Amino acid sequence: MPQIIPIKDLKNTSEVSELCHKSDEPIFVTKNGYGDMVIMSMEAYERDMYLNNIYKTLEISRSQFNNGTVHDGYEVLRDLREEYGL
């Protein structure tokens, strides 16, 4: 369940930091009753960026496969070995 806090709670930096690390999810910050910011721990951010990169790479791969621009891995390796004498 998402955590939502008012912007005035950001004055308690230690408590907000603890909340970010405990929840391991983004914390939504409101201002005058409306969404204003999202904060999260570095660990959660790095995990989300890592997963986002994987999903993006998979989507690119799927697009390349559907467009027929994929090459056989064994053939590519063979050609590279021949080209560089490996």
Side-chain angles (χ1 to χ4, degrees):
M1 185 165 173
Q3 295 280 332
I4 301 171
I5 61 171
I7 199 164
K8 67 180 175 85
D9 285 1
L10 293 180
K11 292 178 185 176
N12 305 323
T13 57
S14 294
E15 292 175 16
V16 172
S17 176
E18 185 178 327
L19 181 63
C20 285
H21 290 282
K22 216 184 324 182
S23 71
D24 200 35
E25 291 184 348
I27 308 296
F28 297 91
V29 181
T30 60
K31 181 177 180 181
N32 299 324
Y34 295 97
D36 187 49
M37 294 186 286
V38 178
I39 57 175
M40 59 181 21
S41 69
M42 289 296 290
E43 293 84 8
Y45 175 79
E46 288 172 353
R47 180 196 65 228
D48 288 355
M49 290 298 103
Y50 176 77
L51 291 174
N52 188 35
N53 188 41
I54 289 174
Y55 295 141
K56 183 192 285 185
T57 302
L58 287 172
E59 184 58 34
I60 290 169
S61 298
R62 179 185 300 170
S63 175
Q64 289 174 341
F65 180 79
N66 290 338
N67 293 333
T69 58
V70 177
H71 303 283
D72 182 88
Y74 293 111
E75 291 177 16
V76 171
L77 287 174
R78 185 192 68 227
D79 293 344
L80 288 172
R81 285 187 183 118
E82 287 175 9
E83 183 177 341
Y84 293 103
L86 300 173

